[in-house]
Amino acid sequence: MIPAQFEYVAPKTLEDALRLVERHGDEAKILAGGHSLLPLMKLRLAQPRYVIDIGRLRGMNYIREENGRIAIGALTTHAEIESSDLLRAKCPLLAETAATIGDIQVRNRGTLGGSLAHADPAADYPAAVLALDVEIIAASTAGTRTVAVGDFFLDMLTTALRPGEILSQVRVAPLAAHTGTAYEKLHQPASGFAIVGVAARITLGKDGTIEDAAIGVTGLGPKAFRAAAVEKELRGKKASDKLFAEASRHAARGVDPLSDLHASADYRREMAAVYTRRALGRAFARAQGKA
Amino acid sequence: MPAATRYLGKPLKRKEDPRLIQGLAHYVDDLVLPGMHHVAILRSPYAHAQIRSVDVSKAQAAPGVVLVLTGADVRGSIGSIPCAAQIPDMKAAPRPVLAHERVRFVGEGVAVVVATDRYAARDALDLIEVEYEPLTPVVDPEKAIEKGSTVLHEGHKDNVAYHWELEGGDLKAAFKKADKVIKQRMVNQRLIPTAMETRGVVADYKPGERQLTVWSSTQIPHLLRTQVAAMLDVPEHSVRVITPEVGGGFGSKLNIYAEEALAGYLAIRLGKPVKWIETRRENFQGTIHGRDQIDTVEVAFKNDGTILGLRIHVIADLGAYYQLLTPLIPTLTGLMASGCYKIPAIRTEITGVLTNKMSTDAYRGAGRPEATYLVERTVDLVAAELKKDPAEVRRKNFPKLSDFPYATPTGVIYDSANYPGSLDLALKLSGYKKLRQEQAKARKQGRCVGIGLSTYVEICAMGPSSAMPAGGWESATVRIEPSGMVNILTGASPHGQGQETSFAQLGAEILGLEPGDVNVIHGDTAIVPYGIGTFGSRATAVGGTAAYKALMKLRDKLAVLAGFLMGENPGKLVFSDMNIFSKTNPKKSIPFGEVVAAAYTAKRLPPNMEPGLDATTFFEPSNFTFPFGAHVCVVEIDQETGDVKLLKYVAVDDCGNVLNPLLVEGQTHGGIVQAFGQAMLEEAVYDEQGQLITGELTDYAIPRAADLPWMETDRTVTPSPVNPLGVKGAGEAGTIGATPALANAVADALSPFGVRHVDMPFKREKIWKLMQGVRAPLGARQDRVRAPLGARQNNGGRRSK
Amino acid sequence: MKLTGQYILPALPAQVWDLLTDPNRLAKLLPGCERLDPDGPDRFKAAVKFGIASISGKYAGTVEFAEKNPPNSMRMKLSGKGLAGFVDGEGQVELTEKDGQTELRYTGKAQVGGMIAAVGQRMIEGAAKKIVDQFFAAAAEELKKG
Amino acid sequence: MSAEIQIRVNGKSYETQVEPRLLLVDYLREVLGFTGTHVGCETSICGACTVLLDGKAVKACTVLAVQASGSEVTTIEGLSATAPATANGNGLHPLQEGFWEKHGLQCGFCTPGMILASVELLRTNPSPSQTEIREGLSGNLCRCTGYQHIVQAVEYAAKKMKSRKR
């Protein structure tokens, strides 16, 4: 497995990178950690003329608090997210999700920005970032713009990023009070990708009713999505195992699940319900301060 | 084997490890020769197609490209891939090294590129234009033998490769006498061996010396030399095969492959060394696959659990062509269809079928895992039908100890065994009684728990030459060098088994030296006498015995010489601590080195003794050996997802005497885990068009560390009478004994759902489906907090501090 | 791989029929189609550059119509071959009028071979759906233009 | 098309002109001759190509050599204190020792990657439980050993490394 030839450029600053991305248009691919792009290039399914390596950009690898939100640089690796004390304390869902990606070697190289921009239908992060309502910052030579994550994933391998844009940062709000989150994943046994991955976030009111619920689902269809029907069933109701079980049945509503060697559409649909219920159960326990 | 030993039977660390753990070993891909060219092969994307044209002009003109050849270019120059197996009335299905006219499986080579650089060779593949005319692919072996199916090979009237039958005992009477008969279809799925090192070849030709050297990652260097010489039509003595370090084989490198001959041809033609290293996708598509049988078994039995007869029909999917042993493998299933039971009558009928897939051949166990699987599943079906404990039904059908050597109705003679002994120990170690109680409790709690047993016997130490296509003996040469250092040259070329250590232990024991004084040489046909190779759990039982005999020859010679020098009776000498002692007077001794030196200086030799210390043996075993054992395991199924978790595994194996228990333990672990792979994860899937859709390790799952619990292993020791070491062989027991234990556990877990049998692999969705639509017969609700059943999950309760 | 689906297209079946069987207009609808040249009756040679995000490749192939029953039904055969492998598809297309629009139903089978079959398992079906969706979205656009 | 890279491998600096598409594993093996790093699957599953890149385990089949420019790489050849170790094993890294002591390898092909992944594991978790060892090695496949002796090898090394620190 050998990639086809390409021209390599490694800009030092984001500005240079953006100019290159703009200049080369769809003849270029952006290389971050390389764990989404290089496999495709080795298979020669992707044969870009230019590879723009943004891995050397300074100041794109950080996790810090900014104006009450947590800002994560696009080049932050899965391993860094997994082990970040800040995230573990204030946004544990991202750390928990990162820890389920591939294996440690992959997590040491793969980046948050690379994974999100690639929008693999079976990637783990999309479920979590949807459940967390993150903001995605896209940079271009014209400046930056903010994309709400709900508008970000358009289709299989397709995002709202425009030609000439580089995903530069992800912003996420710290966990609110009385809130619990969890990521539950049924992994494909060979590749470790998600057959179904469900990220849940639950905020409880004082009386134990569910004030807010957000469910992100990956692996099921061509793109990750919010299970709005489940969320609707939960909001304003008193949390219970029974409620979670009933609400979870709607996890796949409106989605035409994928079918492949590892799981049929039916099985994926059923597992979406099971894993939604499991994620809700764990998120609930955490919202109560348990587990 | 002597009663008290110093090295033999001891868990010595391996001599081969220092180079391996430091990255200093050399596998084929690590070899670099001056001026070496690189080979890449274009392969068919079609399972079945006519080749209309191949245009190599663009590839030939590409930078770095030296030569591009098609199947038509080489067909007259390289013979087809040899098959050593002969079955009466078998149709021929030889495979050319590169396809011409027609391709018959996805991955079949169509053209070859030689370039000065590996990357350039790969680039050139994209420039070759092949026009194919797709033909109807034949994928399902049962449909392949229906009338009207497309026929793979010209001149064949259908896709039946052969019919093979074996019958012993009075089957009619057995079925007449039976209280009950059960019939069950079982699929033993197609597997991909997946040695971690793919195959690879380096070939170099020296025109002046007319010497072709082929380095190949193979289990059978000598057979490869003979066959490559024949395929290239060059004298055998002008070919030298060297196996460098081999990164696992499991049968997949017990073969002669197209690329081995092609590389040799290209080296001769270009006068340049060439290297070809298989990619993983090529390995999945074009290195032999294993298993792939559809078995239908009918069992006749009495209400007390006595099995009276078995009628077995096997449809064996052989793939598109024969590799070295392809047609032979299923017949081993017939040979071992009696399992470890006294079954009076057995009939096995095999239909070998040609399909548009890669050839099946010997994969760890080779025919015997299939036999054990169908027998062991059958015994459990009988037990389930009679509502008896499967351990009791097994015990009921074991031959008595006094029956050994025991002749089965399938015509083999089991050398020695104690089946109840290994079963008892396995039951005791696993706490079987308590497990059953815990299972009953778990079921009441709504948990889906299964316990599986298997008692197995396997046929090993292949074997007497009468039963082997290319000879069943093994060679060894022992040379004691003038300094007293010992070289053992063995024809049983290992690939991870550790013979460099175990044979050194043998040599040190016999000659009274340290294992460090004994060096083991293998895998070079120019140095080592002709040998058969390492497969069929034969290296120690046959190769080790050959080494033992050669060592004994030299020991005897040294004893005569030492006796002569010491003035002592040669029969009364002991070899120990680098000295040769008098038994009667321990103070009387002579240094080992002094005797060796005397043999070489040859100034004081007994009359008629030749100088030097060199002995060669070709050991021909009188029979196979028959290792056996009993395995017990516990699984739990997540009813919501169908996920099967292995909670506990206990294995008791009996491979006779052992040279190094550490190595045996390693073989056992590895075998069990490969069986786990077959049971739970692995399946080579071709779609209906013959595309191999498990094309990479991203889709074909093999076991990972975290999939497994702590395995508890133990042994009983029943020496084999077939060889003087009393060893039986340990390489394949795991894949033979463990697969049915796991399958029986899963069937047991599913029995409350009315499931009698489910085919491997036990993938989640398949298991989940079986539980749908059946009202949970167990306690209603699943409890997510689980008491550890049979304890020991992953960390085995042995948390490190 | 089985493919089935239905679309509502904003035109009468006869107009939809004309669109689908006119190589010049069809060429614009097929995602990534660079050329569509006649190659015998109801048969066309196609050059397609197809890509989803990073994954892209060039395919040479044919489009064929058979069992034409205007404007109600036909069989469509598609085949393409590129470095990443080959695709062969065949399906039945049925057009029925519904409230001045056309309901188009298709049922078919597609076969993917070569590299994309060996490694693309988890993406193939999604990709196929996406291409079909793109095609009909483009068709709907074109028909809206009248 | 070529690019100049500067890499330190096992403590020594190299400056090389390479094709940008050259994979790090091919650079290490074919250009520099560190053939202890193996290629097992090419799809970043099996971990045979694991090396340490700036101290962290990565799969060198899925890294371009140009990406590693300016970095420090450790391969199996550079792991022992005095490479190669002496015949009696002096100078071996505790993990190498552990794999030898506990029979943590058979064919040896996965071993360099397995050892370097274990280095990563013990770097982040010096006293792993057996479960943590098994999970920490989920990026490395072994077809021979059944993993049990590998788990014991890592335990052996963990214990030894802890006692050394004291």
Side-chain angles (χ1 to χ4, degrees):
Chain A
M1 261 191 211
I2 299 163
Q5 292 180 336
F6 55 83
E7 299 252 10
Y8 173 80
V9 268
K12 292 251 161 47
T13 66
L14 181 59
E15 292 65 37
D16 286 349
L18 290 168
R19 271 193 290 275
L20 285 164
V21 170
E22 192 177 63
R23 186 189 314 154
H24 294 307
D26 66 0
E27 286 193 318
K29 290 292 168 216
I30 300 166
L31 178 72
H35 276 46
S36 299
L37 182 60
L38 288 179
L40 292 173
M41 288 176 60
K42 288 172 72 184
L43 293 167
R44 302 199 173 192
L45 290 172
Q47 300 198 14
R49 186 156 166 212
Y50 300 96
V51 168
I52 301 167
D53 181 0
I54 61 168
R56 294 174 187 283
L57 299 188
R58 273 171 295 241
M60 291 262 289
N61 180 342
Y62 54 83
I63 303 169
R64 62 186 177 226
E65 288 188 282
E66 275 178 17
N67 310 321
R69 313 207 85 192
I70 302 166
I72 307 170
L75 293 180
T76 310
T77 64
H78 311 329
E80 287 159 348
I81 288 174
E82 175 188 358
S83 59
S84 156
D85 291 335
L86 178 61
L87 287 175
R88 281 169 176 257
K90 298 198 171 172
C91 183
L93 181 60
L94 263 190
E96 182 183 350
T97 305
T100 71
I101 300 172
D103 48 62
I104 184 60
Q105 293 98 313
V106 168
R107 297 197 292 276
N108 276 336
R109 284 299 291 174
T111 65
L112 176 65
S115 174
L116 292 177
H118 184 60
D120 190 301
D124 295 291
Y125 280 136
V129 294
L130 282 165
L132 291 168
D133 274 326
V134 306
E135 289 172 341
I136 288 167
I137 313 302
S140 68
T141 50
T144 60
R145 68 180 177 113
T146 303
V147 184
V149 71
D151 301 326
F152 186 73
F153 299 109
L154 301 183
D155 202 339
M156 191 167 79
L157 308 177
T158 310
T159 69
L161 287 174
R162 295 170 187 154
E165 282 186 335
I166 292 176
L167 194 164
S168 62
Q169 190 188 75
V170 173
R171 276 186 213 148
V172 58
L175 209 61
H178 310 294
T179 301
T181 56
Y183 182 63
E184 286 278 348
K185 167 184 181 179
L186 179 69
H187 70 278
Q188 198 260 62
S191 70
F193 271 96
I195 286 177
V196 171
V198 181
R201 173 170 60 88
I202 291 185
T203 302
L204 296 177
K206 278 193 181 137
D207 55 351
T209 54
I210 298 170
E211 273 184 0
D212 193 15
I215 319 286
V217 183
T218 190
L220 197 59
K223 61 168 183 170
F225 63 94
R226 278 278 286 266
V230 181
E231 295 171 3
K232 201 178 141 212
E233 290 289 320
L234 294 172
R235 282 197 196 105
K237 293 192 188 142
K238 189 113 180 153
S240 72
D241 286 351
K242 196 168 160 241
L243 175 68
F244 292 154
E246 279 166 9
S248 296
R249 289 201 197 120
H250 304 288
R253 183 184 287 176
V255 180
D256 196 4
L258 296 173
S259 174
D260 69 4
L261 172 66
H262 302 286
S264 70
D266 281 349
Y267 184 67
R268 276 195 162 82
R269 193 179 295 116
E270 293 291 334
M271 290 308 107
V274 170
Y275 279 78
T276 299
R277 203 204 67 225
R278 290 182 179 182
L280 284 170
R282 255 190 335 120
F284 174 59
R286 287 170 176 171
Q288 291 176 304
K290 296 176 195 164
Chain B
M1 201 181 284
T5 60
R6 186 141 186 194
Y7 299 113
L8 225 46
K10 300 290 192 302
L12 261 57
K13 293 196 286 186
R14 295 204 314 175
K15 296 179 70 175
E16 38 277 84
D17 287 0
R19 64 176 186 267
L20 295 167
I21 55 179
Q22 296 184 88
L24 304 173
H26 289 91
Y27 299 84
V28 175
D29 195 17
D30 304 337
L31 303 177
V32 179
L33 301 181
M36 190 165 75
H37 288 351
H38 296 265
V39 174
I41 294 170
L42 183 73
R43 295 176 187 277
S44 170
Y46 289 92
H48 200 185
Q50 208 69 31
I51 299 171
R52 280 213 198 121
S53 66
V54 186
D55 181 355
V56 302
S57 53
K58 282 185 200 154
Q60 185 70 67
V65 171
V66 174
L67 182 66
V68 186
L69 296 173
T70 68
D73 295 332
V74 300
R75 68 184 296 190
S77 313
I78 310 176
S80 53
I81 294 165
C83 173
Q86 277 307 323
I87 289 172
D89 300 323
M90 177 178 100
K91 287 176 193 153
R95 177 180 159 194
V97 293
L98 288 176
H100 46 80
E101 291 168 12
R102 203 155 160 181
V103 288
R104 293 186 179 83
F105 69 94
V106 168
E108 184 168 4
V110 172
V112 59
V113 172
V114 187
T116 50
D117 169 70
R118 193 163 66 85
Y119 281 35
R122 166 64 187 88
D123 289 345
L125 293 184
D126 287 349
L127 302 174
I128 300 174
E129 289 167 10
V130 185
E131 209 182 322
Y132 295 97
E133 183 187 335
L135 301 169
T136 308
V138 178
V139 182
D140 178 337
E142 287 175 307
K143 285 185 188 153
I145 51 177
E146 283 172 7
K147 279 215 171 90
S149 169
T150 304
V151 176
L152 261 72
H153 292 271
E154 294 89 349
H156 290 187
K157 69 175 190 342
D158 56 29
N159 294 314
V160 174
Y162 65 81
H163 276 294
W164 183 90
E165 291 174 13
L166 182 67
E167 184 169 345
D170 189 343
L171 200 72
K172 259 191 194 161
F175 276 80
K176 217 170 164 185
K177 260 198 292 183
D179 293 325
K180 283 195 164 107
V181 171
I182 296 178
K183 186 174 180 177
Q184 180 67 50
R185 176 190 148 103
M186 303 174 193
V187 177
N188 213 300
Q189 81 271 28
R190 184 175 272 253
L191 300 171
I192 304 181
T194 322
M196 290 317 299
E197 183 209 24
T198 58
R199 292 187 296 111
V201 194
V202 170
D204 185 26
Y205 185 65
K206 297 269 181 278
E209 291 86 348
R210 294 195 180 182
Q211 188 69 37
L212 174 68
T213 306
V214 176
W215 290 261
S216 182
S217 182
T218 183
Q219 298 171 231
I220 47 167
H222 284 96
L223 298 180
L224 180 63
R225 182 189 69 189
T226 305
Q227 294 300 335
V228 164
M231 289 166 83
L232 300 180
D233 195 22
V234 296
E236 185 171 3
H237 60 246
S238 70
V239 181
R240 173 182 184 185
V241 171
I242 300 174
T243 59
E245 211 76 58
V246 176
F250 316 110
S252 71
K253 296 171 182 173
L254 157 56
N255 229 304
I256 312 293
Y257 285 102
E259 295 83 3
E260 293 170 319
L262 258 179
Y265 173 80
L266 293 168
I268 295 173
R269 176 158 171 168
L270 295 168
K272 291 276 184 190
V274 299
K275 181 195 269 189
W276 170 79
I277 300 298
E278 190 179 48
T279 66
R280 181 55 67 184
R281 191 160 353 114
E282 288 180 299
N283 178 262
F284 276 20
Q285 292 179 342
T287 287
I288 62 107
H289 292 170
R291 319 275 194 268
D292 208 345
Q293 291 187 0
I294 301 169
D295 304 321
T296 306
V297 55
E298 285 173 89
V299 53
F301 56 102
K302 293 209 289 197
N303 283 333
D304 69 354
T306 307
I307 296 173
L308 300 172
L310 287 177
R311 191 182 287 135
I312 298 162
H313 183 249
V314 176
I315 292 180
D317 188 338
L318 306 177
Y321 303 100
Y322 305 144
Q323 285 278 340
L324 191 65
L325 301 170
T326 301
L328 176 84
I329 303 304
T331 65
L332 290 171
T333 305
L335 222 54
M336 290 308 289
S338 189
C340 55
Y341 307 109
K342 200 167 178 175
I343 301 174
I346 300 174
R347 177 184 170 78
T348 305
E349 205 179 308
I350 298 172
T351 307
V353 183
L354 295 161
T355 60
N356 289 116
K357 301 178 197 166
M358 180 56 201
S359 314
T360 50
D361 204 315
Y363 169 56
R364 200 173 193 174
R368 296 101 88 206
E370 295 91 313
T372 308
Y373 182 74
L374 70 86
V375 173
E376 287 304 293
R377 281 296 301 126
T378 301
V379 173
D380 259 37
L381 290 172
V382 170
E385 177 69 26
L386 297 173
K387 299 195 164 55
K388 286 183 185 295
D389 189 304
E392 289 324 303
V393 176
R394 283 176 169 76
R395 223 184 283 278
K396 180 112 208 150
N397 289 286
F398 285 150
K400 289 195 284 287
L401 293 185
S402 56
D403 288 336
F404 288 89
Y406 171 67
T408 70
T410 59
V412 289
I413 297 166
Y414 293 169
D415 56 346
S416 61
N418 180 359
Y419 302 141
S422 55
L423 177 61
D424 287 343
L425 183 56
L427 295 180
K428 187 177 143 208
L429 283 176
S430 62
Y432 182 70
K433 257 195 195 155
K434 200 165 158 236
L435 284 180
R436 286 289 179 200
Q437 289 162 3
E438 285 176 351
Q439 180 188 35
K441 219 185 281 169
R443 281 184 171 166
K444 276 188 195 145
Q445 293 166 358
R447 291 165 56 195
C448 189
V449 172
I451 300 168
L453 289 185
S454 110
T455 47
Y456 72 91
V457 59
E458 52 164 336
I459 182 168
C460 281
M462 308 275 160
S465 296
S466 56
M468 300 279 293
W473 46 268
E474 194 50 82
S475 71
T477 292
V478 178
R479 287 205 302 257
I480 303 175
E481 310 297 352
S483 63
M485 296 290 106
V486 180
N487 276 314
I488 300 180
L489 287 63
T490 173
S493 184
H495 42 286
Q497 291 85 351
Q499 274 107 288
E500 288 179 37
T501 305
S502 57
F503 286 12
Q505 287 174 255
L506 187 62
E509 188 73 46
I510 290 169
L511 298 175
L513 307 174
E514 299 285 327
D517 301 332
V518 184
N519 184 38
V520 178
I521 298 174
H522 54 82
D524 184 343
T525 62
I527 300 174
V528 179
Y530 207 91
I532 303 298
T534 292
F535 56 88
S537 306
R538 68 191 304 279
T540 304
V542 192
T545 301
Y548 169 81
K549 294 203 153 199
L551 283 161
M552 289 307 286
K553 276 189 198 172
L554 287 188
R555 188 184 185 277
D556 290 348
K557 179 170 180 177
L558 283 166
V560 171
L561 180 54
F564 175 73
L565 296 172
M566 294 161 77
E568 188 71 36
N569 180 347
K572 301 226 161 125
L573 294 175
V574 180
F575 286 63
S576 174
D577 294 308
M578 322 277 291
N579 282 290
I580 300 170
F581 293 93
S582 158
K583 252 186 212 168
T584 46
N585 179 4
K587 278 184 192 155
K588 203 167 161 191
S589 73
I590 182 167
F592 180 81
E594 203 177 308
V595 185
V596 171
Y600 279 96
T601 53
K603 297 186 194 310
R604 270 187 70 202
L605 293 179
N608 302 323
M609 181 178 276
E610 285 181 9
L613 289 165
D614 186 310
T616 295
T617 305
F618 287 72
F619 171 64
E620 170 67 39
S622 58
N623 188 4
F624 300 98
T625 64
F626 296 85
F628 60 94
H631 291 198
V632 180
C633 66
V634 181
V635 301
E636 177 157 9
I637 299 175
D638 180 334
Q639 290 177 61
E640 287 186 320
T641 62
D643 196 49
V644 181
K645 181 117 189 114
L646 177 60
L647 300 180
K648 184 181 180 77
Y649 204 96
V650 173
V652 173
D653 296 281
D654 193 323
C655 56
N657 291 331
V658 304
L659 303 191
N660 183 330
L662 200 57
L663 303 186
V664 169
E665 198 174 274
Q667 289 294 320
T668 305
H669 291 164
I672 292 170
V673 171
Q674 261 176 344
F676 175 89
Q678 171 166 21
M680 304 294 173
L681 300 167
E682 298 179 34
E683 183 174 28
V685 181
Y686 283 90
D687 71 7
E688 51 190 24
Q689 294 297 310
Q691 296 292 331
L692 179 66
I693 57 177
T694 48
E696 296 275 3
L697 272 166
T698 47
D699 280 306
Y700 186 88
I702 66 170
R704 286 179 158 83
D707 297 336
L708 302 150
W710 184 262
M711 296 174 275
E712 226 174 301
T713 59
D714 205 340
R715 287 187 290 110
T716 55
V717 179
T718 310
S720 172
V722 173
N723 59 65
L725 297 172
V727 299
K728 290 195 166 203
E732 295 157 296
T735 55
I736 290 168
T739 321
L742 293 160
N744 285 339
V746 170
D748 185 44
L750 292 172
S751 61
F753 292 84
V755 174
R756 191 169 85 165
H757 174 80
V758 50
D759 284 325
M760 301 180 290
F762 307 123
K763 291 190 178 176
R764 292 177 289 221
E765 181 169 0
K766 186 195 281 178
I767 301 299
W768 173 80
K769 264 191 191 147
L770 287 171
M771 296 189 289
Q772 301 309 300
V774 183
R775 200 176 56 83
L778 313 173
R781 187 170 164 276
Q782 281 212 85
D783 197 342
R784 298 213 8 136
V785 187
R786 290 172 181 167
L789 184 93
R792 298 210 158 177
Q793 214 160 333
N794 280 345
N795 61 5
R798 293 193 183 188
R799 278 187 109 77
S800 58
K801 279 155 209 130
Chain C
M1 171 178 48
K2 281 187 185 135
L3 289 170
T4 56
Q6 61 183 67
Y7 290 85
I8 300 290
L9 296 170
L12 290 169
Q15 294 166 296
V16 174
W17 180 272
D18 288 347
L19 174 68
L20 294 182
T21 52
D22 176 347
N24 292 326
R25 295 171 72 196
L26 188 63
K28 287 184 212 150
L29 306 183
L30 284 172
C33 183
E34 289 176 341
R35 277 205 339 268
L36 195 65
D37 303 322
D39 184 39
D42 288 334
R43 190 184 148 93
F44 306 91
K45 269 195 173 164
V48 178
K49 190 182 171 203
F50 170 72
I52 297 179
S54 303
I55 304 171
S56 61
K58 286 190 172 179
Y59 295 83
T62 57
V63 180
E64 239 181 298
F65 304 119
E67 297 167 31
K68 278 161 79 174
N69 176 20
N72 302 319
S73 69
M74 63 173 161
R75 289 195 74 73
M76 251 177 119
K77 275 191 190 174
L78 298 160
S79 73
K81 209 170 99 177
L83 284 180
F86 62 85
V87 183
D88 287 308
E90 189 176 349
Q92 180 76 15
V93 180
E94 311 267 352
L95 306 175
T96 32
E97 198 201 314
K98 258 195 180 159
D99 311 324
Q101 306 206 60
T102 300
E103 187 186 78
L104 180 147
R105 290 171 175 273
Y106 69 89
T107 54
K109 263 180 27 178
Q111 173 57 38
V112 176
M115 160 111 67
I116 29 185
V119 301
Q121 256 304 305
R122 63 198 184 84
M123 302 274 192
I124 288 173
E125 196 182 304
K129 278 184 184 162
K130 184 168 169 166
I131 299 166
V132 174
D133 283 346
Q134 276 179 9
F135 174 77
F136 285 111
E141 274 307 302
E142 175 76 14
L143 289 164
K144 262 188 219 157
K145 282 190 224 158
Chain D
M1 272 172 277
S2 82
E4 172 156 333
I5 59 169
Q6 290 135 16
I7 302 187
R8 270 181 82 77
V9 182
N10 300 332
K12 200 176 155 202
S13 295
Y14 299 88
E15 281 184 27
T16 322
Q17 286 286 332
V18 299
E19 264 195 287
R21 62 172 171 162
L22 182 69
L23 300 171
L24 178 60
V25 68
D26 292 342
Y27 174 72
L28 294 171
R29 287 179 50 80
E30 294 172 12
V31 180
L32 301 186
F34 291 110
T35 54
T37 309
H38 298 149
V39 179
C41 76
E42 307 167 271
T43 51
S44 65
I45 297 288
C46 82
C49 64
T50 300
V51 299
L52 303 180
L53 183 61
D54 293 327
K56 291 178 184 170
V58 302
K59 292 181 172 175
C61 76
T62 309
V63 178
L64 298 171
V66 286
Q67 285 180 290
S69 183
S71 293
E72 170 110 36
V73 174
T74 306
T75 70
I76 191 70
E77 290 95 334
L79 193 62
S80 7
T82 56
T86 56
N88 59 9
N90 281 340
L92 286 178
H93 186 279
L95 274 160
Q96 290 172 317
E97 250 182 72
F99 273 72
W100 192 11
E101 288 290 336
K102 298 295 174 186
H103 188 28
L105 61 148
Q106 289 177 30
C107 82
F109 195 77
C110 75
T111 309
M114 199 65 87
I115 288 176
L116 289 165
S118 303
V119 170
E120 166 88 28
L121 172 68
L122 295 183
R123 178 176 68 84
T124 52
N125 181 0
S127 306
S129 68
Q130 290 198 344
T131 306
E132 286 167 339
I133 294 171
R134 286 175 185 273
E135 276 159 12
L137 295 177
S138 65
N140 292 74
L141 297 178
C142 168
R143 193 61 157 167
C144 293
T145 62
Y147 301 104
Q148 192 148 307
H149 284 158
I150 291 177
V151 172
Q152 291 180 305
V154 177
E155 284 183 314
Y156 172 99
K159 209 168 157 188
K160 181 133 191 180
M161 284 161 82
K162 254 178 104 179
S163 71
R164 263 192 204 172
K165 272 185 196 149
R166 262 178 220 146

